[in-house]
Amino acid sequence: MLSSLYSIKEVKQIINAHGPIIREATVSVLITDSRRIINPAEALFFALSGRRDGHDFIPEAYNAGVRSFVVEREPAERYSGSNFLVVENVLAALQTLAAYHRGEFDLQVIGITGSNGKTIIKEWLYQLLAADKNIVRNPKSYNSQVGVPLSVWQINKEHDLGIFEAGISTVNEMDALEKMIEPQIGIFTHIGSAHDEGFASRREKVLEKLKLFKHSEILIYNYDQFIDYKKDILTPKKFTWSQKFKEVDLYVFSETIIAKKFYLRAKYKGQEIECLIPFLDQASIENAIVCWATMLAMGYDPVEVDNRLEHLTAVSMRLELKTGINDCTIIDDSYNSDIQSLEIALNFLNQQNQHQTKTLILSDIFQSGLQQNELYKRVAALVKNHKIDKLIGVGEGISAHQEYFDILKKHFYPDTQSLLKQLDSLEFSGETILIKGSRTFEFERISKALSQKAHETLMEINLNAMIDNLNFYRSKLLPGVKVMVMVKAFSYGSGTFEIANVLQYARVDYLAVAYIDEGVALRDSGITLPIMVLNPEASAFDKMVAHDLEPELFSFNQLDEFVKFAYQNNLSDYPVHLKIDTGMHRLGFEGFEIETLCDFLEEIKYIKVKSVFSHLAASGSPEHDAFTLTQMKRFEKAYLQIEEALGYKFIRHISNTSAIIRWPMAQYDMVRLGIGLYGIDAAVPDHLNGLQSIATLKTSVSQVKKIPAGETIGYERLGKLNKDGKIATVRIGYADGYLRAFGNGVGKMLVKGTWVPTVGNIAMDMCMIDVSDVDIKEGDDVIVFNDRQAIEAMAKQIGTIPYEILTNISQRVKRVYFYE
């Protein structure tokens, strides 16, 4: 964690250490993990003792360049030029340094604790307050005895608000966190069962958590849950909220769903106020109310609070979905395990329909607050309810209660190593495997063993961001308008069943593919949504019908062929989609053909028109708006003629991604969402700020070379450095989809926060980048595109469109999917 500079002598004095100062140094980075070394010249390594002894990793940190250490004992081996600050307790020293650092700044601080919702509320308050404040907060869920000091260390003079969450698991832990956080505003989110086992009673746990606020000026909490603790709350001011009791500061008395959002009404200071929350699940509603109460307690105007709450976005806590060995799919959630997150993960497992067999690898669950008998009965019920076919339990607790699991295929192992030794004998094949483990079990080793070994270049797909983008467009639709999502061309390079499964779970109305084989692959993966085929081949009509796919028909020849097939196969009312050419002049019945088409349709009994649609040629370009209006008029004329001839209604659609927002009058009955799902839409105004990039393409460094000025680099000897420097060869080339046009300095990649240009031609499997000014080594990550290097910007670099960049990413590039 990076912060202000302290001299090593100052640090020694602050933490009351002894030991000689061998070399002068400044400290800006605190490190507790030798695998995560940044800026080693200014790093201070804390050799923490826990499940592993940090002193054992001093050699690794030293080899990475660290020269200052906080230890409880001096190492037997000498490390030349290094400072060893010796203390009684390394963790206490880390916390003392953080507390001192916190005291150097006069900023407002919000402290958050509770059983649930801490991270979400912290991140939402950041979203809500970032417009007015320069905020420092915990990274992710850094709320522990180690995480809090690393978080507080981030404070600098630019910050005027801190938001820090604090988590404890037993008594006598909160005092240390309180000294580091020193919150003026306190939030107690929720009283639940988490960490109950670390306390003699629920009351003891609540009283321990309340210590975070012993010097706070105000505490915000749910009145309903604290009725029995009113005398224990010693803060001078209290701000209470409730959905039951009127005698509170914020009485939430009404809740309604409006346009897929949660509408709340409340009484505050004798007035009725309201807010609209873009979430429907109960946990999100409660978390949002906490944020509502907090902003009101801070003096924000209720109308402004309402406006900001409506624009909250989801906070991602990711599951990882990736390709496994033997045609398996892996869901990797190998870092935490509790009842609530297990249920979430099992729900996600059930979204995956590509394999019939569903397997769960589960470790012992800690910190549940339940007796083991009750805990594993609940776990067994979840497993049964989610129709798990194979269970692999790891740990003494789950193994001791294996009789609770009524499942045909089950295996139990005392520890992770035992399972790894027997992994091959379990013969995983053609199944979806959820790996769910408490951190101490190191289930990442299992994930690594079961994951398909692949090219080190990979594309990460954020499924949460994709759903947020879907919901962004849904929020712009008129009531009743359906959504068809285009998943052709490997979902614009992003995947097949991985994307389709999530869209099916999100209940889109239709999917569209380019060819019959794409639709068959989705059906084989368990996708049951209606699927329109844009370019159906007559030779595969039988396969199309067998898989319940619906053809787009765009010419009389094609229509004749399908009608003949329907007649020969005794089909009746088979759903088809008619395409009208209104000006794109690519595919479709033209205006002068509509009357003949109507005559033809009146005589046919083998098909049923499911939809009539057209395609806008330039809906995102203001300079072509007059032509877009012309297309809409032509479309309306055509579908009215067809409707009159058929005598029944059908779905009408013409809007592509860029038309959804720019042309609401063109939404008709359905819109077709394409590349906007992936966060790309030039038609979205900046002030809407509703789309998220879903993809990160990354690779790694194969080798670093020193190159003299003037030496040539790469094919055709086109690459050169103007002065002596370094190049890095990275594992991506035009066979991966990094086009040759990006060569010779046109393309840029992100290395350790610095943009560096390509050097020379792009080769088939690799390319070179100029890293003369970057500290880099073999194996380091290199970002090709992400939210900082937008795909749109890359497209402009080579004079193409974002579609080409996305769809060119080859199939040999491993896709990894993240889901909350």
Side-chain angles (χ1 to χ4, degrees), residues 390-572:
K390 186 195 302 185
L391 171 68
I392 300 167
V394 181
E396 295 178 358
I398 194 170
S399 298
H401 297 86
Q402 56 185 279
E403 70 274 10
Y404 294 158
F405 295 92
D406 182 16
I407 184 170
L408 185 61
K409 297 180 180 179
K410 56 184 179 180
H411 311 269
F412 294 88
Y413 301 89
D415 52 45
T416 303
Q417 188 60 34
S418 299
L419 170 58
L420 286 168
K421 289 179 180 178
Q422 298 295 319
L423 210 57
D424 290 342
S425 67
L426 293 170
E427 298 181 342
F428 296 103
S429 179
E431 51 200 279
T432 306
I433 306 169
L434 169 60
I435 303 173
K436 182 72 175 164
S438 296
R439 189 174 295 272
T440 55
F441 281 84
E442 297 182 333
F443 268 17
E444 61 269 23
R445 297 160 63 195
I446 299 172
S447 176
K448 184 177 180 180
L450 292 178
S451 296
Q452 188 180 79
K453 306 303 181 285
H455 187 30
E456 283 196 43
T457 297
L458 60 89
M459 187 158 73
E460 297 178 344
I461 309 296
N462 185 335
L463 297 177
N464 300 107
M466 186 187 76
I467 292 300
D468 289 343
N469 291 338
L470 171 64
N471 290 334
F472 169 80
Y473 285 103
R474 277 175 160 168
S475 73
K476 307 303 175 186
L477 299 181
L478 300 172
V481 175
K482 300 177 184 293
V483 178
M484 173 183 282
V485 178
M486 315 301 287
V487 292
K488 61 181 181 176
F490 195 56
S491 296
Y492 295 76
S494 296
T496 52
F497 60 80
E498 299 93 346
I499 300 296
N501 273 323
V502 176
L503 293 172
Q504 180 164 278
Y505 187 76
R507 298 183 180 178
V508 302
D509 300 285
Y510 256 93
L511 298 178
V513 297
Y515 298 105
I516 290 171
D517 284 345
E518 293 177 320
V520 171
L522 292 180
R523 287 285 185 249
D524 289 345
S525 296
I527 301 302
T528 58
L529 286 172
I531 300 175
M532 181 174 77
V533 181
L534 300 173
N535 292 287
E537 310 95 324
S539 60
F541 279 163
D542 56 342
K543 188 187 297 185
M544 180 184 71
V545 171
H547 290 84
D548 195 25
L549 306 174
E550 302 174 9
E552 168 193 316
L553 302 178
F554 49 77
S555 70
F556 285 112
N557 180 59
Q558 189 193 39
L559 180 58
D560 284 340
E561 287 184 325
F562 188 72
V563 169
K564 179 192 282 188
F565 174 84
Y567 169 74
Q568 292 173 344
N569 289 274
N570 198 29
L571 301 181
S572 177

Side-chain angles (χ1 to χ4, degrees), residues 341-353:
S341 65
L342 174 60
E343 184 169 8
I344 292 169
L346 288 170
N347 287 336
F348 183 65
L349 172 61
N350 278 349
Q351 291 180 36
Q352 307 306 310
N353 301 288

